[in-house]
C-alpha cells in the first residue's frame, strides 16, 4: 500500500465538496464573534442567569441569537442538551456530530440534529480555550482535548451499578428536572456536549477525564441556526479533579470530596440588531432530511406471476 493510499484512508470519513454544508463561511462567523468586542454596542442582552452547583436549567435561544456559557468562578464542567424548540423529536446528535465535525469541538464546528431532520442546530462562534494544549494545538501532552463528545452525562443508574448507592444529582437527573417545565421527560434527555471537559483515550483505548482547565471568565459560545431549547447541568464532579467512582471517590470514602470541586456556571443570551444577520447573507438552516424521498424502499412494489 502506498503512502498516498494510507493517507487517504486516515482522512476524515465524512467530507463534502467546497461550498457544501461542512464547508461553512468562516469569515461570516468571525464577524458574529467580533460583535462581542465591537466598539459599537451590537449585542443586546436577552437573558442572563447563574446556574448553581449540581443543578440544571433549560432556556430558549431564538434563531440568530448568540448563547455564551461562562466559567464564572473557575473550572467547572457543564453537560449540554439541545432540542429544536418547536419539535423536541429533533435533538442534538452527538455521535453524528463526532463524524461530521470531530470528537472535541471548537470554533466553526456545528452541533447536528437527529434523523430524519439532520441539520446544524447551532454553530460554535467563540471558544476561549480553542488554543489549549501544546503550542496551541488543542491537545495536551497526555492526549487531552476540550469540549468533549466522546463521553456522555453521568447518571444515577451507572452510579447504582458501580457503587450500590443512590445519588439524585447526576447530570442526567439535573437535566431531567430542568426540562419538566417544557413538557419533556427523562426520555428526552440525550447524549451531551461536555462543555469545558478535558478528555481523551488512553493507551488501552479507554476513556479518561482530566481536571478541567477552565479559568474564571473562560467561555464557549454559539449562534442558534434555528429556534432551540437548551438545558445545562453543572456536573456534580465539578472540575473532575477528584474521582467520582472507584478508589478515592466519594462512594468509597463515604464522604463527598468532589463537593469542594464544584462551581456555578453562567449563561448569557444575546441578540444582534434587526437586519444585521440578513444583511450578511444569514438565514435559518432548514432540515436536510426533507430532500430524501426514498421512504427507505418501503414503497409498494408490483409483482406479477409468470
Amino acid at each position: 500500500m502506498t503512502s498516498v493510499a494510507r493517507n487517504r484512508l486516515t482522512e476524515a470519513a465524512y467530507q463534502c465538496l467546497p461550498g457544501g454544508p461542512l464547508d461553512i463561511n468562516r469569515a461570516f462567523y468571525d464577524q458574529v464573534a467580533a460583535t462581542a468586542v465591537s466598539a459599537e454596542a451590537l449585542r443586546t442582552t436577552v437573558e442572563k442567569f447563574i446556574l448553581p452547583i449540581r443543578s440544571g436549567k433549560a432556556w430558549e435561544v431564538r434563531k440568530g441569537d448568540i448563547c455564551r456559557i461562562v466559567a464564572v468562578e473557575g473550572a467547572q464542567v457543564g453537560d449540554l442538551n439541545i432540542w429544536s424548540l418547536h419539535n423536541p423529536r429533533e435533538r442534538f446528535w452527538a455521535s453524528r456530530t463526532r463524524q461530521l465535525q470531530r470528537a472535541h469541538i471548537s470554533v466553526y464546528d456545528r452541533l447536528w440534529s437527529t434523523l430524519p431532520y439532520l441539520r446544524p442546530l447551532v454553530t460554535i462562534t467563540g471558544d476561549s480555550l480553542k488554543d489549549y494544549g501544546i503550542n496551541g494545538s488543542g491537545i495536551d501532552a497526555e492526549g487531552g482535548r476540550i469540549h468533549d463528545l466522546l463521553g456522555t452525562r453521568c447518571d444515577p443508574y451507572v452510579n447504582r451499578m458501580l457503587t450500590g448507592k443512590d445519588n439524585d444529582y447526576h447530570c442526567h437527573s439535573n437535566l431531567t428536572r430542568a426540562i419538566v417545565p417544557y413538557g419533556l421527560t427523562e426520555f428526552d434527555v440525550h447524549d451531551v456536549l461536555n462543555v469545558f471537559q478535558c478528555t481523551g483515550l488512553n493507551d488501552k483505548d479507554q476513556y479518561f477525564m482530566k481536571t478541567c482547565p477552565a479559568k474564571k471568565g473562560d467561555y464557549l459560545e454559539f449562534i442558534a441556526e434555528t429556534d432551540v431549547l437548551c438545558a445545562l447541568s453543572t456536573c456534580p464532579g465539578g472540575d473532575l479533579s477528584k474521582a467520582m467512582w472507584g478508589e478515592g471517590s466519594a462512594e468509597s470514602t463515604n464522604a463527598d470530596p468532589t463537593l469542594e470541586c464544584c462551581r456555578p456556571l453562567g449563561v448569557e443570551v444575546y441578540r444582534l440588531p434587526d437586519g444585521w444577520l440578513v444583511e450578511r447573507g444569514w438565514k435559518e438552516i432548514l432540515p436536510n432530511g426533507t430532500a430524501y424521498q426514498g421512504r427507505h424502499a418501503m414503497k409498494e412494489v408490483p409483482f406479477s406471476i409468470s
Side-chain angles (χ1 to χ4, degrees), residues 229-302:
L229 175 67
C230 300
L232 184 68
S233 165
T234 43
C235 181
D239 62 14
L240 303 183
S241 60
K242 296 187 178 180
M244 295 179 68
W245 295 286
E247 186 177 356
S249 68
E251 286 77 13
S252 68
T253 61
N254 293 317
D256 194 354
T258 60
L259 182 61
E260 65 187 45
C261 306
C262 292
R263 299 170 185 88
L265 289 172
V267 172
E268 305 166 359
V269 181
Y270 297 99
R271 185 160 295 158
L272 294 171
D274 287 345
W276 192 95
L277 290 166
V278 175
E279 290 169 2
R280 288 158 179 80
W282 181 90
K283 58 183 178 180
E284 179 181 7
I285 296 180
L286 300 177
N288 287 293
T290 55
Y292 171 66
Q293 301 295 316
R295 295 183 57 200
H296 311 292
M298 291 190 289
K299 298 177 182 177
E300 183 178 356
V301 178

Side-chain angles (χ1 to χ4, degrees), residues 14-26 29 100-101 108-112 117-123 225 285-289:
Y14 288 78
Q15 300 187 27
C16 71
L17 296 174
L22 303 184
D23 182 20
I24 71 169
N25 184 346
R26 294 191 172 201
Y29 289 102
L100 295 178
Q101 306 291 166
Y108 309 125
D109 289 324
R110 292 172 148 174
L111 304 187
W112 292 77
Y117 311 100
L118 191 61
R119 61 170 162 175
L121 294 174
V122 306
T123 301
E225 302 286 5
I285 296 180
L286 300 177
N288 287 293

Side-chain angles (χ1 to χ4, degrees), residues 5-82:
R6 283 196 298 271
N7 290 338
R8 180 189 65 78
L9 293 174
T10 57
E11 290 178 350
Y14 288 78
Q15 300 187 27
C16 71
L17 296 174
L22 303 184
D23 182 20
I24 71 169
N25 184 346
R26 294 191 172 201
F28 165 74
Y29 289 102
D30 286 342
Q31 291 181 63
V32 173
T35 62
V37 294
S38 172
E40 304 175 26
L42 288 181
R43 294 186 181 187
T44 58
T45 301
V46 175
E47 182 177 13
K48 281 189 178 184
F49 61 87
I50 300 296
L51 186 60
I53 67 169
R54 297 182 172 178
S55 66
K57 182 177 174 62
W59 71 98
E60 300 175 13
V61 185
R62 296 291 175 167
K63 59 185 177 184
D65 284 356
I66 300 164
C67 182
R68 176 176 287 207
I69 299 172
V70 185
V72 290
E73 293 184 8
Q76 170 66 41
V77 169
D79 285 43
L80 180 67
N81 268 189
I82 303 178

Side-chain angles (χ1 to χ4, degrees), residues 62-220:
R62 296 291 175 167
K63 59 185 177 184
D65 284 356
I66 300 164
C67 182
R68 176 176 287 207
I69 299 172
V70 185
V72 290
E73 293 184 8
Q76 170 66 41
V77 169
D79 285 43
L80 180 67
N81 268 189
I82 303 178
W83 300 259
S84 166
L85 179 61
H86 308 296
N87 175 20
R89 285 189 174 184
E90 181 184 8
R91 62 193 193 184
F92 167 52
W93 191 5
S95 59
R96 183 63 84 198
T97 300
R98 286 197 302 270
Q99 292 177 315
L100 295 178
Q101 306 291 166
R102 44 185 170 170
H104 297 81
I105 58 93
S106 189
V107 178
Y108 309 125
D109 289 324
R110 292 172 148 174
L111 304 187
W112 292 77
S113 69
T114 49
L115 298 178
Y117 311 100
L118 191 61
R119 61 170 162 175
L121 294 174
V122 306
T123 301
I124 308 300
T125 55
D127 176 12
S128 64
L129 292 171
K130 62 183 175 58
D131 296 324
Y132 171 79
I134 301 172
N135 298 324
S137 65
I139 182 170
D140 63 28
E142 297 171 305
R145 300 175 187 265
I146 309 297
H147 308 310
D148 163 58
L149 289 175
L150 285 173
T152 189
R153 64 223 183 261
C154 55
D155 67 80
Y157 306 106
V158 169
N159 191 89
R160 161 60 67 169
M161 179 180 71
L162 295 180
T163 71
K165 299 179 181 179
D166 289 335
N167 185 327
D168 299 331
Y169 293 91
H170 284 285
C171 288
H172 181 84
S173 299
N174 295 345
L175 293 168
T176 296
R177 297 194 309 276
I179 59 179
V180 168
Y182 289 87
L184 304 181
T185 72
E186 175 181 5
F187 297 102
D188 295 294
V189 177
H190 51 278
D191 282 348
V192 300
L193 168 62
N194 289 299
V195 180
F196 301 133
Q197 187 163 319
C198 184
T199 68
L201 300 175
N202 65 21
D203 57 4
K204 297 180 180 178
D205 207 27
Q206 296 170 320
Y207 181 70
F208 67 76
M209 304 185 296
K210 294 185 63 177
T211 300
C212 171
K215 295 180 172 57
K216 182 177 179 179
D218 276 327
Y219 65 89
L220 181 75

